[in-house]
Amino acid sequence: MLTYLLDQRGHRPAYEYLSCCLREDILSGRLSAHEKLPSKRSLARQLGISVVTVQAAYSQLVAEGYLRSQERRGYFVNPVARCLPAASPAPLLPAPLAPPCLMDLRGGSVEGSRFPFSLWAKLMRQVLTQEGPALLEPVPFQGVPALRRAIAGYLYRARGISVHPDQVILGAGTEYLYNLLVQLLGRDKVYGVEDPGYAKIPRIYRACGVTVRELPLDCHGVDPGALAASDTQILHLSPSHHYPTGIVTPVGRRQELLRWAGQTEDRCVIEDDYDSEFRFSGRPIPTLQSIDADQRVIYINTFSRTIAPSLRISYMVLPSRLLERYRRELGFYACTVTSLEQHTLAKFLDGGGFERHIGRMRTFYRAKRDQVIQAIRQSPLGPRSRIREEHAGLHFLLELDTRRPDREAEALAAQAGIRLSFLSDYTARPHLVQPHALVVNYAGIDAGRLPQVLELLAPCLL
Amino acid sequence: MLTYLLDQRGHRPAYEYLSCCLREDILSGRLSAHEKLPSKRSLARQLGISVVTVQAAYSQLVAEGYLRSQERRGYFVNPVARCLPAASPAPLLPAPLAPPCLMDLRGGSVEGSRFPFSLWAKLMRQVLTQEGPALLEPVPFQGVPALRRAIAGYLYRARGISVHPDQVILGAGTEYLYNLLVQLLGRDKVYGVEDPGYAKIPRIYRACGVTVRELPLDCHGVDPGALAASDTQILHLSPSHHYPTGIVTPVGRRQELLRWAGQTEDRCVIEDDYDSEFRFSGRPIPTLQSIDADQRVIYINTFSRTIAPSLRISYMVLPSRLLERYRRELGFYACTVTSLEQHTLAKFLDGGGFERHIGRMRTFYRAKRDQVIQAIRQSPLGPRSRIREEHAGLHFLLELDTRRPDREAEALAAQAGIRLSFLSDYTARPHLVQPHALVVNYAGIDAGRLPQVLELLAPCLL
């Protein structure tokens, strides 16, 4: 006989408590397979509850598959494996904690406090009010038209490239867009990346399952001889400002790379224009995309670097021959950036806020770079180092007169709480790149503390 | 001799105009390779501008690679291929427009106007004020801790599953999470999906380059015999409510599928709990995850369906053995959901707003479902159709007494401006599923117009 103490159910509805008791009895084997349950009426009488409550509990267990009902015969227990109550979650290893750090020169962070957050928040409030519940509607898969128009306008003003808003595709970060590009261009293709270079790029391509070739650089960027000798089909480049060498690819080499791309139908160049905004003298270097007459170049850039890392808005500009394919084959993917953020960024671009911010940051970073360089020159490192490639981007190279191996210097610095990376950290072939070239990412550091940090650092490096 | 009319430069700075003229002359061949340019001083005198301006123009062209400077000898033109001025973008085919539509029963839309947008906007404004510029800081790769805690709490209350917040990983939509899962579980694995089923799932897996097997269903869900006979390693399921058949997999079958998963080390089940919130009688069906003692189940769900399609917040719950691998191999991916949206959703969940919204929507959709069913019963379709699987989710099946082939019925309806899909649209093997079973997605339709639409529709179907 089923005897459940319904007054022990607490705040739970009676039917829920009853179905829970029955479920446990089935799982523990107290009620066995094919056993007939008491009729609704008799169980209701026995437990002093209503027939409706028993009916609801039985129905729930029928829906879950613990019981079956047979017309005019009643309810029967289904065969179910005995099992323990729901497994409590296995103990988790805590997420690894980073050890304490005095200064991190490896980059990744930017000077967030300089962003005009109050303007951004104001625009966001405006969008919330103006767009209202329309913000809940699905976003077109390429992104909100207002933002695509704003980006096309910005690219024309700032980078001198004419693109149609329909060519622009928004995504939640460049990492996501790389994933989409592999699906668009093909997993059977061979992807060439710069070596040395930003390690995340080959890592993402490999996580996507494609073959990656690391292509060596000469002083103008990717070596065309090595490119031609490899089986690369898709070339991923940062011609405006290469990380971490700082190389700016000159126009002759750019034309040469485009000629390479034009030679067979399956070749294409991904122009990763990350960091191009922070050039400290003269105008930004024109893009590869702007001299591409052959529809070979996919332009890609992000606002995570120029606005804030937490803002996941990146975009790519597809040549029209690839745009058709994108729409046909990948247009089913929903846009990964929310409507609110897209509208806010469109206003920020259209109202000139973004360009004013970039202008201010350029001035700020130029002064910060000068301060960092001066601190290095006045430190014990000064007489035994040379600064290179400091005219653009948020990092430069510091060539050290030392014989200490890079890995050893990093380990010593880490013990002193200073995180470093050398040029040799950014390559698959450390023996082929210049040793003792420290990559100084200064955007996110506290420059005021630098003299003190350099005093500690010098004996680790020299 | 270089004669440029600097008064034609408009608002552009003189140095920029001069570098532009020089660039065009190099690209057009008027200045030839290796030609020496006039000295800065003489060109400045000749054009009536300052030496600094010429210096700036020359430096810009050196940076771009059009010129080289040789110490004490001056500036020389680099060899550069002649080319036309920047290609204007190729004409684009306009994005295809959908033809006019009277009603769309194929689904995808939800009743957005019922969402408490003003509460959502209020929470968002609160977060903007409370968190301030901290919103710009990078988000942990798994997502903001407050939201992961809120989701774990919600899952415990609403779905009866105990998960640790560290097991939760946020992403901008389930489509993105499927992409991550392929990278986590391996592209060399064989993925099994339900057939019939939601077409986007195999489509995404195939776009990710994996082998997909379509597994037939019986009346309890995936057929265990067919599963065992296939080489499937990763099984993607919606056991709480299968789309489009509406099948709820009973507990015995669930246990059977888990036993299958436990048989070899490489097997795993992705439990796609999409739509589980909208069950109209009784409690939600307990998850597969909650009876998984063996760390085989990855639970996945989204807020796009329950809040708004434009909100790209989905999550997955990894068993701890996969969590370690995720952190090691994919932890480099930045979180694709912004800080603002994560904090807002955390408040919405913690404050009970989400559960109140779900409760209201369940009542609303139940009434809408009843209205739709009544309209069908009173229409010319009434006597010649049966309604099935109407107890959960935002769709049901309508079995028609007709001999008209499904594709023909769809074409006729489309001509009348009504978009339909049949069960046979959701399968790779149309000959194996029941014909003439219309999938009625009622969530987003205007039920008031339904009687009139059904009058038009009946002759297309019968």
Side-chain angles (χ1 to χ4, degrees), chain A residues 9 98 117 221 248 321 375 378 409:
Chain A
R9 71 179 187 272
F117 180 76
V248 177
R321 72 181 180 105
Q378 289 172 352

Side-chain angles (χ1 to χ4, degrees), chain B residues 165-181:
Chain B
D166 282 354
Q167 293 176 269
V168 178
I169 294 175
L170 276 299
T174 43
E175 300 171 356
Y176 174 67
L177 293 178
Y178 301 154
N179 272 274
L180 286 183
L181 280 177

Side-chain angles (χ1 to χ4, degrees), chain B residues 155-170:
Chain B
L155 285 175
Y156 183 75
R157 291 190 304 277
R159 304 295 281 125
I161 51 182
S162 294
V163 307
H164 192 284
D166 282 354
Q167 293 176 269
V168 178
I169 294 175
L170 276 299

Side-chain angles (χ1 to χ4, degrees), chain B residues 354-389:
Chain B
F354 180 70
E355 276 145 285
R356 282 195 300 277
H357 167 60
I358 292 295
R360 275 192 307 265
M361 290 313 288
R362 211 178 278 139
T363 308
F364 171 78
Y365 282 134
R366 190 192 292 123
K368 187 163 183 177
R369 176 202 60 179
D370 293 345
Q371 187 185 359
V372 169
I373 288 177
Q374 200 193 7
I376 291 172
R377 291 215 168 113
Q378 291 172 352
S379 79
L381 290 177
R384 295 185 56 189
S385 65
R386 278 165 313 285
I387 287 160
R388 269 186 34 205
E389 305 295 354

Side-chain angles (χ1 to χ4, degrees), chain A residues 227-278:
Chain A
L227 174 62
S230 84
D231 52 357
T232 297
Q233 292 160 297
I234 314 294
L235 178 59
H236 189 123
L237 286 183
S238 301
S240 292
H241 188 235
H242 174 261
Y243 187 85
T245 65
I247 292 171
V248 177
T249 300
V251 62
R253 173 65 56 85
R254 287 168 186 240
Q255 292 175 328
E256 209 171 339
L257 296 173
L258 286 178
R259 276 196 300 276
W260 166 85
Q263 275 162 13
T264 67
E265 204 37 57
D266 56 351
R267 288 184 183 166
C268 139
V269 178
I270 298 170
E271 179 178 26
D272 203 333
D273 208 27
Y274 149 90
D275 224 16
S276 65
E277 296 81 5
F278 297 115

Side-chain angles (χ1 to χ4, degrees), chain B residues 429-447:
Chain B
R429 287 166 286 205
H431 56 287
L432 291 185
V433 305
Q434 177 191 9
H436 319 306
L438 187 63
V439 182
V440 181
N441 289 280
Y442 59 84
I445 68 169
D446 175 356

Side-chain angles (χ1 to χ4, degrees), chain A residues 29-37 67-68 75-78:
Chain A
R30 253 171 53 89
L31 285 167
S32 44
H34 311 298
E35 187 172 339
K36 186 177 185 300
L37 286 186
L67 300 181
R68 62 182 183 277
Y75 290 86
F76 295 83
V77 176
N78 274 331

